[in-house]
Each structure stands twice: as C-alpha cells, then as structure tokens.
Amino acid sequence: MVISRKIQLRLNVFFVTVAVLFVAIFSMYEMGYLDELLTILAKDNYIFYWMMLVGFLAEIVAGSMGMGYGVICTTTLLFLNIPPHIVSASIHSAESFTTAAGSISHIRLKNVSKSLVKKLAIPAVIGAIIGAVSLTYLGEYYAKITKTIIAFYTLYLGIQILSNAFKKKQDKKLKRKTNLTRLGVIGGFIDSFAGGGWESLVTGTLIKNSFTPRFAVGSSTVAKFILTLTAAITFIFTLGIQHWNIILGLLIGGIVTAPFSAMLTAKLPVKSMFIVIGLLVIVMSSITIYKSVF
C-alpha cells in the first residue's frame, strides 16, 4: 500500500512533466524555434544529452539504494573536467526539484518527524551556505586543488558504497545519543561543498544510531530538500546561472526515472548494485585524482 502510494505520486509528477515538455516542444515547433533549440542543446559536445543519461542512471541508483545521486553526478562531472563550483551548483539546482518530489512523498506517507527535521535542517542550512560560499571562492581560484580534494572524498564514498555490499545485518542496539546540530552543520557543509554525501553521512548515522529507519529516511529527505534549495540559491547569488544545459539534463533525466525507481527497488539486486556503483565511483575518482595531480 505504502509503495503503491509512493509510485502513484511519482507517476503523477512524471505525467505532468511529460505533458509540460510536450506542450513546450510542440509550441516551439509551431513557432519555428525547434531547430534553434536542438542546436542550442547540442552545445558543449552534446553535454545536455549526456547529463540526461547521468541523471537517469543516478536516480535509478538513488531510488533503489537510498543514496548515491550526488556522488554519481559529482564523480561523473569531475571526470568530465567540469569546474568543482559548477559541479555542485548544477547538482543542487537539479536536486531542488527531485528532493522536493521525494519530500512530498514522505510527508504524504507520514514518514516525517517535524522535530527531527527542525533539528537537522536549521544547522544544515548554515553548513550549506558556508560550503557554497567556500566552494565558489576555492573552486574559482584553486580549482585544481579543490577538484583533487573532492575527488578524494568521492573515492572515500565509493569505498563506503562498496563495503555496504559485504556488511552483515547487525543486531539492534540501544539508541545512541546523536548531536543533531553538529551532524546537520557538517552534513550541510559537505553536501554543498562536495556536491553530495548527505545521505551517506546523515541518514546513515541516524539509522546506525537506531533511529526508526522510516522517520530517519523521511525526515532526512525533507532536511536535504531545505539544504539543497539553500545551496542552489546561494550559488545563484554567487555564480549566477551557469551551465543550464547540465542542470536541465540532470533534472529531466531524474524526473523521467523517478516514478520507476520505486518499482525497481524490489527487483534490482541491491548487493550487485552496491558492488558495481562502488567500483565505478572508485575508478572514476582515482582517474580524476591522477589527472589532477599529474
């Protein structure tokens, strides 16, 4: 029942998006602008279409594993030699829409604790602003160093994703005290600065410390939406809107996939996905580090 309601909500978003895109494309065709649009989308070596593919695959992984969207997008964009500040700004702009859809879904399914969201979101907003402003400066003036640091971080996340495939289920432990303010600030900063990692750090910590998984995931998702929107707005003020073709590609790819990722959750071999995605992130991050250092 819960899964079907989530799927129905995502399908509604999917059909509305498709309808809007169809009307927009048909209108441009009628006005004679379609060829011009296709020419614009082909800019920068067809990166718009590549980003659609990345957004498509990243959303499938995120929908089935509960994490990985930001990590996959960040790793891929760094691998394609996109500047670090453009990477994070693009990902957070696209994620503002995808996390909004996820938040609505969790709220409707009553998976959200208001007090937990408040304790996470307020410090996360502070961390996100600091991370975005720091990355804007460092990414512009120290791009090579910043890129290497973020690549090392995604390498670490890749190792963590890979290790999840071989973790054994642990017995339930007593709920450990968690400093939510510190967790929110650090999670917000890292996610904003590195382009991802909130789920691995924050959601993972909450579940590990025996918070009810349903509320941990739902509340963390809503807090992630708030910090993502904050980071996106901060980047707009500091950088303006750059590489809209990356943002639009990631956004459309993610929205098209979102309704079906929930359906695939029970069918995809999660352990195998952890191994494949973990190895892919490790290899791509290692190549990025090599190219940055040498």
Side-chain angles (χ1 to χ4, degrees):
M1 177 67 177
V2 168
I3 294 177
S4 63
R5 285 174 64 189
K6 184 182 287 189
I7 292 173
Q8 185 59 52
L9 179 63
R10 291 186 175 188
L11 282 172
N12 290 340
V13 174
F14 170 73
F15 287 125
V16 169
T17 304
V18 170
V20 170
L21 286 174
F22 177 79
V23 171
I25 292 172
F26 181 76
S27 300
M28 296 195 77
Y29 173 77
E30 286 293 309
M31 292 186 288
Y33 292 132
L34 189 57
D35 289 339
E36 188 177 339
L37 174 64
L38 292 175
T39 302
I40 293 172
L41 293 179
K43 287 176 63 177
D44 300 325
N45 296 316
Y46 299 93
I47 196 167
F48 167 77
Y49 300 103
W50 285 111
M51 290 305 101
M52 276 187 66
L53 178 61
V54 172
F56 180 87
L57 296 175
E59 184 60 36
I60 287 179
V61 172
S64 57
M65 291 168 47
M67 64 178 71
Y69 183 91
V71 178
I72 291 172
C73 292
T74 299
T75 306
T76 305
L77 288 172
L78 288 177
F79 183 77
L80 294 173
N81 210 31
I82 306 297
H85 53 300
I86 302 300
V87 169
S88 188
S90 301
I91 291 171
H92 283 92
S93 296
E95 268 194 313
S96 296
F97 296 91
T98 55
T99 54
S103 298
I104 292 169
S105 176
H106 282 295
I107 291 169
R108 287 188 62 180
L109 295 172
K110 298 181 179 178
N111 293 340
V112 178
S113 164
K114 290 182 181 178
S115 61
L116 183 54
V117 170
K118 185 177 179 180
K119 289 175 183 176
L120 285 173
I122 294 174
V125 164
I126 297 171
I129 293 172
I130 296 172
V133 172
S134 301
L135 182 62
T136 298
Y137 175 76
L138 294 174
E140 187 173 353
Y141 296 102
Y142 303 97
K144 191 172 181 179
I145 297 173
T146 308
K147 187 176 180 179
T148 307
I149 292 171
I150 295 174
F152 268 112
Y153 177 64
T154 56
L155 175 64
Y156 162 74
L157 291 179
I159 294 170
Q160 278 213 319
I161 291 171
L162 183 62
S163 68
N164 283 335
F166 305 100
K167 277 185 180 177
K168 294 181 179 179
K169 287 187 177 179
Q170 298 179 341
D171 297 328
K172 279 194 172 182
K173 298 179 181 178
L174 292 174
K175 186 173 178 178
R176 288 185 284 180
K177 189 173 181 181
T178 307
N179 189 325
L180 295 174
T181 300
R182 182 173 61 193
L183 183 65
V185 170
I186 295 174
F189 175 83
I190 289 176
D191 194 271
S192 181
F193 187 86
W198 172 268
E199 293 87 351
S200 302
L201 176 62
V202 178
T203 310
T205 299
L206 292 175
I207 294 174
K208 186 174 69 176
N209 288 2
S210 298
F211 281 80
T212 305
R214 168 185 166 207
F215 291 113
V217 174
S219 304
S220 177
T221 300
V222 175
K224 168 69 184 280
F225 163 66
I226 295 170
L227 90 84
T228 299
L229 187 61
T230 301
I233 292 171
T234 305
F235 279 123
I236 288 172
F237 275 109
T238 56
L239 294 173
I241 299 177
Q242 299 185 38
H243 290 272
W244 63 268
N245 44 2
I246 296 177
I247 298 170
L248 190 60
L250 291 175
L251 178 59
I252 293 176
I255 288 176
V256 167
T257 315
F260 309 106
S261 60
M263 301 178 194
L264 292 170
T265 300
K267 298 183 179 180
L268 290 175
V270 177
K271 181 176 180 178
S272 299
M273 284 192 68
F274 272 123
I275 294 172
V276 172
I277 298 303
L279 288 173
L280 184 63
V281 170
I282 289 169
V283 170
M284 291 177 71
S285 298
S286 300
I287 293 173
T288 300
I289 292 169
Y290 178 82
K291 285 162 65 177
S292 298
V293 174
F294 300 101

